Each structure stands twice: as C-alpha cells, then as structure tokens.
Amino acid sequence: MASTFCFPRLGKSVVYQESNKETRVDVKESVRGQDIFIIQTIPRDVNTAIMELLVMAYALKTSCAKNIIGVIPYFPYSKQCKMRKRGSIVCKLLASMLAKAGLTHIITVDLHQKEIQGFFSFPVDNLRASPFLIQYIQEEIPDYRNAVIVAKSPSAAKRAQSYAERLRLGLAVMHGEAHQSESDMADGRHSPPLSRTTTGHTGLELPLMMAKEKPPITVVGDVGGRIAIIVDDIIDDVEDFVATAEILKERGAYKIYIMATHGLLSADAPRLIEESAIDEVVVTNTVPHEVQKLQCPKIKTVDVSMILAEAIRRIHNGESMAYLFRNIAVDD
C-alpha cells in the first residue's frame, strides 16, 4: 500500500479500495508547498499498486504539494520496454501516466534497461544494487576467489563482466539457449505474409533474411571445479535459471549461486528452486518476498533500504546524488 513520507516523519494518509474495487485516497494533513515522497513497493497485484500510486500522486498534486517524488524500488512493466509484434511499449505508457498524475521525480533501483530513463519527462535516479550484492559475495560465500561469474545468456554478459572485473574473477557465458531470448522474438517484420494477391505493381523485392538457428547449449568459459555465480537483474520465472544450473553442474561446477536485484519469484519459483541444483538465490528487498522465503530456505535477502533512505535525504536537502553513484560506470 502506498504511503506518503514527509521528511523527517511519516505523513498521514489512507489508501483503500471501495466495494467496487475503485481506489480511494484520503490525505489527512496539509501538504501545500511540501516535498512529498511516495514509497511504493510493487507487490503481487501490480496493477492495483500502480493505480494506488497514480491516485496518490494526483491527490497530492491537486493539494498543491511542491514536489512529488516516487520511490519505486522495482519499476513495473520494465520488461515491456521494446516493441514486440503488434504490442506496445507499455513502460513508456506508464512513464507518461506517472508524469500526468503529478510525479516530478522518481527514485528506483536497477531498471531492466537503462534507456528506460529516456521515457520520462522528469528526473530519474536509477540507483544500483550491485555494491550490496558484491559485498554479500565477498563476505558470505566461502572461497569466493575460486568462483566464476556466469551470464545465462549473451545479452546478460555486460552485467556479468562488471561483476567479474570488480571481484577480479573469471567470466563464463551460456550460449545457445533452448528458448527464444528477448532479442530473437519475432517483431512482426514478416507481416503481412510474403505471399499476397496483388494487382499491378508488386513493389520492391527486399532480400530475404536467413532464419536464425541456435547452436546446442554450450558454456563459453571454464567452470570445472569452480563456484558458479549467475548474475541478473530480475528473477521471476526460474525455468531458465534451473536449466542453466543443471548445465553448469554437468560442466563441473560444484556450487551454484544466483544473484539478482529484484526477486519477483512468481508462481512455482520457490518449489522449482528448492528441487533444483541451485545452492542459493540471493535477492534484495526491492520486492516483498517473505512468503517465498518460507517456502524455500535457499532464498536469501540483502537489505538495500540504506541507499534509498540516503537518496531521499539528499533530494530533500538539495544535496548532490553523486556520492551514491561513486565508481559506478555507464555499463554497470
């Protein structure tokens, strides 16, 4: 449930749903001329949470709040940031809705694609969870120097390379997934069908692209006798991670960890993790996952509330945010 944060105390507000499922917001105190921080973690009911955020922001806007800053650790719909067939870029739609509702700033953590910041007409602070996850590796994984960082697909290699360089470890990349990755999904360019009944001029004949054929799954890099640490930004449906872990086991990895920022862990994810070759899944608390932890002891949590709290403090006091991005490179 959304709540207002008027520094340095918690604001008084009520957010609830009426019997017909409409969202209603009641702000219990004056916010005129104030900096208001709406803290909204995204639970399982994503669309209700988004509606709460929009209605809350609009209520504050019409109550003459000076600045309305959304603290959204996991930005929803961030995977829908590219065109797919005849779909739409829903992430851009959500960015426009938030601006229209009255938000003037957003604080988030590890956007699925950094280019998403370009969808917004107001500032976005995209904080990084990697320092906390790297610290966990150094302090909680015994003999981590015998580890290798693994990207479960070539598209995740840049993130994995960043971890490997900071930890001074080797890098391995999975290649030849059995499923279609995001970049290989059909995007409708062969539509309408190539064969059409036309009259008159048939148009320009374009060269036909050869269809992609993925090779058998291989591991580029040596994982034999090593600890394998798979890194990603989101872990939701875990079938890909489970399959990757099985292959790494076959290639000789003796322990397998998964490090991810956002632990959505939907559907049967806890059960699949518990029954898999994965030894531990480490996620941050950007998304509530207490129920999943009860179902699967392999799931561990890293607290990143410290960096969010510091971001709120700095924005409210008009201080530079550069300290929160120290040593952060463009590719991180």
Side-chain angles (χ1 to χ4, degrees), residues 1-3 13-28 40 48-49 51-53 55-56:
M1 183 174 290
S3 60
S13 66
V14 177
V15 180
Y16 61 95
Q17 286 188 325
E18 296 185 342
S19 56
N20 63 354
K21 301 300 183 183
E22 288 185 0
T23 299
R24 185 175 289 273
V25 168
D26 187 7
V27 181
K28 297 291 189 180
Q40 179 63 293
T48 299
M51 202 63 203
E52 286 182 359
L53 178 61
V55 176
M56 173 72 81

Side-chain angles (χ1 to χ4, degrees), residues 33 101 116 123 197 289 314:
I116 290 174
T197 303
H289 54 269
R314 286 175 175 270

Side-chain angles (χ1 to χ4, degrees), residues 304-317:
V304 295
S305 60
M306 181 193 311
I307 194 171
L308 291 167
E310 181 63 13
I312 291 172
R313 190 193 68 79
R314 286 175 175 270
I315 289 173
H316 178 71
N317 293 330

Side-chain angles (χ1 to χ4, degrees), residues 76-327:
Y77 286 98
S78 58
K79 282 191 172 183
Q80 297 191 48
C81 60
K82 296 179 182 178
M83 191 58 130
R84 295 282 178 257
K85 293 187 177 179
R86 295 179 182 86
S88 61
I89 305 175
V90 183
C91 191
K92 187 178 190 305
L93 171 65
L94 181 55
S96 300
M97 291 167 64
L98 292 172
K100 190 70 175 177
L103 285 178
T104 59
H105 198 139
I106 274 183
I107 303 170
T108 189
V109 181
D110 282 346
L111 287 170
H112 185 57
Q113 299 286 343
K114 297 176 188 64
E115 292 77 11
I116 290 174
Q117 294 179 71
F119 294 159
F120 294 87
S121 57
F122 51 78
V124 176
D125 284 312
N126 181 28
L127 306 177
R128 305 295 198 275
S130 53
F132 296 89
L133 295 173
I134 288 173
Q135 183 181 38
Y136 184 94
I137 292 172
Q138 293 172 321
E139 295 179 357
E140 302 296 334
I141 299 181
D143 196 24
Y144 81 90
R145 296 192 181 280
N146 188 39
V148 59
I149 304 298
V150 179
K152 71 179 180 66
S153 66
S155 60
K158 191 172 289 186
R159 179 184 300 271
Q161 181 182 358
S162 175
Y163 275 71
E165 290 175 353
R166 294 186 185 281
L167 290 165
R168 277 64 171 174
L169 298 176
L171 178 67
V173 180
M174 306 293 296
H175 180 54
E177 302 94 334
H179 69 289
Q180 282 190 320
S181 66
E182 284 186 353
S183 59
D184 292 332
M185 291 181 182
D187 60 3
R189 291 176 188 176
H190 293 297
S191 177
L194 294 177
S195 57
R196 285 182 69 180
T197 303
T198 59
T199 57
H201 183 59
T202 57
L204 178 67
E205 282 194 24
L206 298 175
L208 187 64
M209 280 288 288
M210 294 179 63
K212 288 185 178 181
E213 184 175 339
K214 290 197 171 184
I217 295 177
T218 57
V219 181
V220 182
D222 181 23
V223 297
R226 314 284 287 278
I227 300 171
I229 303 176
I230 306 169
V231 298
D232 214 331
D233 63 327
I234 300 172
I235 176 168
D236 189 3
D237 299 322
V238 298
E239 286 85 354
D240 293 348
F241 291 94
V242 170
T244 300
E246 292 291 340
I247 295 168
L248 293 172
K249 275 286 185 186
E250 292 173 5
R251 298 296 193 277
Y254 71 90
K255 241 181 184 179
I256 298 169
Y257 291 80
I258 295 175
M259 316 290 295
T261 303
H262 309 295
L264 305 185
L265 302 168
S266 302
D268 290 334
R271 178 182 60 81
L272 294 174
I273 292 170
E274 189 65 26
E275 297 172 356
S276 72
I278 299 168
D279 291 282
E280 198 168 279
V281 174
V282 182
V283 293
T284 72
N285 56 347
T286 55
V287 177
H289 54 269
E290 289 77 12
V291 174
Q292 287 79 0
K293 287 183 72 173
L294 292 174
Q295 297 171 343
C296 178
K298 292 182 179 180
I299 300 172
K300 308 296 181 185
T301 307
V302 173
D303 182 17
V304 295
S305 60
M306 181 193 311
I307 194 171
L308 291 167
E310 181 63 13
I312 291 172
R313 190 193 68 79
R314 286 175 175 270
I315 289 173
H316 178 71
N317 293 330
E319 298 177 18
S320 171
M321 297 287 283
Y323 176 77
L324 302 181
F325 294 95
R326 64 193 189 284
N327 298 325

